[in-house]
Amino acid sequence: MPYNSTITPVTPQLSSTRTEKLVTHVALFLVIVIGFCVLLRLPRAFARFWRSSEWLTGHVFWHTSFRFSRTKTLRMRTKSLPDNYPSEASSTHEPKEGASDDSHTLYSHAKKNEGKATLTEFNFPPHVATCPAFLRRLVMLHRIRLSPGFSVSQAAVMTFYFATLIYAAFYKSSPFSDPVRAGWLAASQLPFVFALGTKNNIFGPLIGFTYEKVGLHFVFISGQEVISGTQLNYLHRFVGRLIVIAVNIHSLGYFYKWSIAGTFQQSIKKPYAIWGLVALVAFDCMFFFTLSFWRNRFHNIMLPTHIIGISIIIPAIWKHQPSTLPWMAACLGLYGLDHVCRMIKTRITTATIRPLSEMNTTRVEVAYVNGGWRAGQHVRLRVFSFGVGWFGWTEVHPFTIASVADGEEGLVLLIKKSGRWTGQLYEMAKSSGYTEAGQGRRVKVMVEGPYGSSLIVSLPLNLAHVLNSIGGPCHAIFASYSAAVFIVGGSGITFALSSIQDLIKQDLAGRSRVKTITLVWSVQDPATLHPLLPRLISMIQESIYTPIHIAVHYTRAPSGGEKPRPPIVHPGLTLSAGRPKIVKSLEAALSRAVALGQDAKDEGRVSGMLVGVCGPTGLGDDVSQAVAAIDPGRRDQVGGIEMHEEVFGL
């Protein structure tokens, strides 16, 4: 009996046409799921754009000419301040236990009366909670983290996605007898990987996450290199690896069939097989260079291999199987849209760089760009100078914006010396001469952005562990909360500076519901405080209606063993040794918000407390645990606690 090399399928198989329809239906199902998520996020999107002036803010940079004046006069049009409106005096003193910020011992009636003549009419932003009150206690499981930066919710999303693709792979098929299914599945999922990985992706405006939360990118938060390994970036990597597995199953399946039939050498020489082999090698090389070893230590190698791999894979798949053209066209369309948006967001101008020696930080001032971003967003910076290395001018690095929009100082970045490029930039700033404004050097730069405006990664307390983030507030409105607490570590102070300055600006214009602001900053060396001390004190003094409490904690003993003291003592600013007691800080902020009671800002109801975190992953984990430790009854008193987390680290 002659040998029969044909492999008999153990399960009924679909035809090639029906296989294409199956993977298309699976892709449509995933789009429908995304659409459902979009519907859940629409209320926050509508609240974000409640004013027409917000429609462009956070998307493109612009320049505004200022008419400088020593005083700003804001006239009251229709309403006056309530009697219990907080004053400047209350913002510069720590209340005693049991006292409230609006007590007669701390309250300045003169300042309150002055406010009646200087504040604009109230125009508070709407507040939309991320989770209804009755659901807060039903989602406690989501805050559990299986590992640093990875939550139960993320695991659930990955499991759902994996189960969907498993169904598509095994429905009336077996990868051992029908390897073509795996190939079609890989091709149909490529547009999702592109949509999750591009900076200006379509998922951002729809679902509400920015590129650094959906793409595989490294960014810098004020000089600290960041792995955006949370948000939807984990899904980008997860789906990408599933595609690599599918491509290898597809290829090995055919290798096996050709080997059994004894036609391997003849089949592998066919043009479609050669192009398929080219795509396979490109996929495997991309996967190899995205391993944590390369991502963490040699990002400048990983990124070019990604670009080269994409350039090879798209035409190779099309030549391998021409009927995949719609999927490849979708990938090219998403990639092209991203680059068009980048061109629109890019500005080439002159910046001034100055060294901040106490912080080992470079201050970059871009005076021409002074509007268009939201507090907490970041930009991608390129410096056109050989001072950052022979090829340093080709590198683009993202940094958090440390200044408030529409201000006189323009766009300001604080870039900590933490690597080769940032170190060379710092040395270049140190070698500069002196100008009227102090030591500085003018360089040509390219700024691209702003990024981080699609939607907040703000979550209800019980979802605080679901996603971590970097990049900006997105659709969240920080000024819509009743209280705001910012807990930052090291160079994460830039996120807090811009956010608090923006809250002060909105409050002076009568567009903020925030009644108390708390900043907890943890640093290693107490000398780090000195360059920013004038800025911190000025924020306390400028916030005449909302009390600001600033606590700086240092974890490294200064040389000489003497306890450091700030050069300027201010009642609203404290300097303490040791790590901050996060739970105590949160409880104190919550107590202040509740003690102030309901006023015109609340419009009949408190609107929650925002907890913003920016620092190492460990700090984010600690704050998440501290938030979860607060009694549910206390959380309800303030209207719930929502958390915005931006973590960095290698």
Side-chain angles (χ1 to χ4, degrees):
M1 182 176 179
Y3 173 72
N4 185 4
S5 62
T6 304
I7 299 178
T8 303
V10 296
T11 56
Q13 299 182 11
L14 299 179
S15 64
S16 179
T17 302
R18 298 192 65 181
T19 296
E20 294 182 41
K21 290 183 178 180
L22 175 63
V23 297
T24 301
H25 292 162
V26 170
L28 290 176
F29 169 73
L30 293 174
V31 171
I32 291 173
V33 173
I34 295 171
F36 177 73
C37 296
V38 171
L39 292 177
L40 296 179
R41 300 300 243 175
L42 278 180
R44 290 181 71 85
F46 289 147
R48 160 71 174 87
F49 298 105
W50 68 293
R51 291 197 308 263
S52 58
S53 59
E54 295 290 327
W55 292 357
L56 290 179
T57 302
H59 301 289
V60 293
F61 288 128
W62 60 69
H63 173 75
T64 302
S65 299
F66 291 97
R67 294 181 178 179
F68 298 97
S69 60
R70 293 183 178 272
T71 59
K72 298 180 180 180
T73 303
L74 301 175
R75 297 183 178 180
M76 186 68 185
R77 297 179 182 176
T78 58
K79 298 183 180 180
S80 61
L81 288 172
D83 291 335
N84 62 345
Y85 208 88
S87 68
E88 178 185 21
S90 64
S91 69
T92 59
H93 294 73
E94 285 286 346
K96 297 180 180 180
E97 184 177 358
S100 63
D101 285 336
D102 59 342
S103 62
H104 286 280
T105 58
L106 298 178
Y107 198 82
S108 171
H109 292 281
K111 177 60 67 175
K112 183 182 71 172
N113 293 332
E114 178 184 349
K116 290 184 179 180
T118 60
L119 186 68
T120 63
E121 63 179 355
F122 296 136
N123 190 15
F124 300 128
H127 178 77
V128 178
T130 56
C131 179
F134 66 90
L135 290 179
R136 288 175 187 162
R137 301 187 183 185
L138 299 180
V139 290
M140 296 294 290
L141 183 65
H142 291 286
R143 76 169 182 262
I144 300 175
R145 291 190 178 180
L146 304 178
S147 64
F150 185 74
S151 68
V152 169
S153 179
Q154 290 173 313
V157 172
M158 293 170 63
T159 302
F160 171 80
Y161 206 109
F162 181 68
T164 302
L165 298 190
I166 285 292
Y167 166 80
F170 287 92
Y171 176 72
K172 292 185 178 182
S173 176
S174 169
F176 301 101
S177 59
D178 184 22
V180 69
R181 177 74 64 85
W184 275 108
L185 191 60
S188 66
Q189 291 302 304
L190 270 179
F192 289 94
V193 175
F194 272 78
L196 292 168
T198 53
K199 298 174 178 58
N200 301 281
N201 63 84
I202 60 173
F203 285 170
L206 295 178
I207 291 185
F209 298 107
T210 55
Y211 87 90
E212 63 286 333
K213 300 162 191 173
V214 300
L216 181 58
H217 294 277
F218 281 66
V219 304
F220 282 75
I221 295 291
S222 308
Q224 295 291 335
E225 195 161 8
V226 176
I227 302 176
S228 56
T230 50
Q231 277 299 344
L232 294 185
N233 172 50
Y234 74 94
L235 192 58
H236 168 81
R237 288 184 292 178
F238 180 68
V239 178
R241 288 168 180 174
L242 290 180
I243 290 177
V244 173
I245 293 174
V247 168
N248 280 272
I249 291 176
H250 173 72
S251 301
L252 293 175
Y254 273 101
F255 294 165
Y256 176 72
K257 291 179 66 174
W258 294 340
S259 298
I260 291 296
T263 60
F264 182 85
Q265 292 185 355
Q266 295 86 346
S267 299
I268 198 65
K269 294 179 181 179
K270 295 180 180 180
Y272 79 91
I274 294 176
W275 283 111
L277 187 61
V278 170
L280 172 65
V281 173
F283 269 117
D284 289 342
C285 287
M286 287 180 62
F287 169 73
F288 176 75
F289 285 108
T290 56
L291 296 176
S292 59
F293 173 82
W294 296 99
R295 295 200 318 268
N296 295 354
R297 301 183 182 183
F298 304 100
H299 178 248
N300 290 333
I301 295 178
M302 188 213 74
L303 186 59
T305 57
H306 241 59
I307 297 175
I308 295 173
I310 291 171
S311 304
I312 295 174
I313 286 172
I314 298 299
I317 292 179
W318 172 62
K319 297 290 289 185
H320 174 68
Q321 178 57 265
S323 54
T324 60
L325 180 61
W327 303 110
M328 300 303 103
C331 295
L332 291 176
L334 293 169
Y335 196 69
L337 176 64
D338 171 56
H339 281 71
V340 170
C341 292
R342 288 198 207 181
M343 293 176 61
I344 297 174
K345 288 173 171 283
T346 298
R347 302 290 184 272
I348 297 178
T349 182
T350 301
T352 302
I353 58 175
R354 309 181 191 278
L356 301 179
S357 57
E358 295 90 345
M359 300 177 65
N360 279 337
T361 297
T362 305
R363 176 184 170 95
V364 180
E365 304 168 0
V366 187
Y368 182 79
V369 178
N370 56 18
W373 70 88
R374 300 182 67 210
Q377 288 188 294
H378 70 274
V379 300
R380 291 167 53 83
L381 176 71
R382 184 197 303 269
V383 177
F384 295 109
S385 173
F386 290 113
V388 290
W390 285 103
F391 298 99
W393 61 272
T394 64
E395 300 181 21
V396 181
H397 298 271
F399 300 96
T400 299
I401 302 174
S403 57
V404 66
D406 300 324
E408 298 176 355
E409 62 181 352
L411 187 148
V412 176
L413 307 174
L414 298 179
I415 304 174
K416 185 177 180 179
K417 177 184 177 182
S418 62
R420 178 189 56 80
W421 191 89
T422 54
Q424 290 175 328
L425 181 66
Y426 177 70
E427 294 300 325
M428 186 169 62
K430 286 181 61 177
S431 63
S432 58
Y434 286 85
T435 64
E436 295 181 356
Q439 186 177 6
R441 176 175 178 176
R442 296 171 65 84
V443 294
K444 206 71 173 181
V445 298
M446 184 194 77
V447 289
E448 176 193 329
Y451 288 111
S453 61
S454 296
L455 194 75
I456 191 172
V457 187
S458 173
L459 302 169
L461 168 68
N462 302 320
L463 291 176
H465 290 65
V466 174
L467 302 172
N468 303 326
S469 72
I470 61 172
C474 304
H475 277 339
I477 307 174
F478 286 0
S480 68
Y481 296 87
S482 294
V485 180
F486 298 93
I487 304 176
V488 299
S491 56
I493 186 63
T494 55
F495 165 73
L497 287 177
S498 59
S499 299
I500 294 176
Q501 289 180 91
D502 185 67
L503 288 176
I504 296 173
K505 175 184 175 182
Q506 299 298 330
D507 191 41
L508 293 176
R511 297 197 297 265
S512 174
R513 297 181 184 274
V514 178
K515 296 182 292 184
T516 176
I517 300 173
T518 301
L519 169 61
V520 179
W521 184 20
S522 178
V523 297
Q524 291 183 343
D525 190 344
T528 305
L529 172 64
H530 295 176
L532 295 183
L533 186 61
R535 172 69 62 85
L536 297 177
I537 293 179
S538 68
M539 290 193 308
I540 297 175
Q541 295 173 339
E542 291 171 5
S543 184
I544 60 177
Y545 305 121
T546 300
I548 297 181
H549 305 264
I550 300 177
V552 181
H553 298 261
Y554 61 93
T555 58
R556 180 183 299 172
S559 57
E562 296 182 0
K563 182 179 180 181
R565 294 182 179 181
I568 301 178
V569 179
H570 196 281
L573 189 150
T574 61
L575 179 64
S576 306
R579 298 182 181 276
K581 298 179 180 179
I582 300 175
V583 175
K584 183 178 179 181
S585 299
L586 294 176
E587 287 282 3
L590 193 151
S591 298
R592 285 192 290 266
V594 173
L596 287 173
Q598 295 186 2
D599 56 19
K601 286 189 173 185
D602 295 313
E603 295 182 340
R605 65 181 180 89
V606 288
S607 54
M609 184 170 79
L610 168 72
V611 178
V613 186
C614 187
T617 303
L619 177 63
D621 292 343
D622 292 342
V623 175
S624 297
Q625 295 174 3
V627 171
I630 297 179
D631 182 73
R634 293 279 288 160
R635 297 197 301 261
D636 293 338
Q637 286 181 333
V638 77
I641 301 177
E642 298 185 11
M643 185 170 171
H644 175 80
E645 185 177 355
E646 303 199 359
V647 297
F648 55 77
L650 288 177

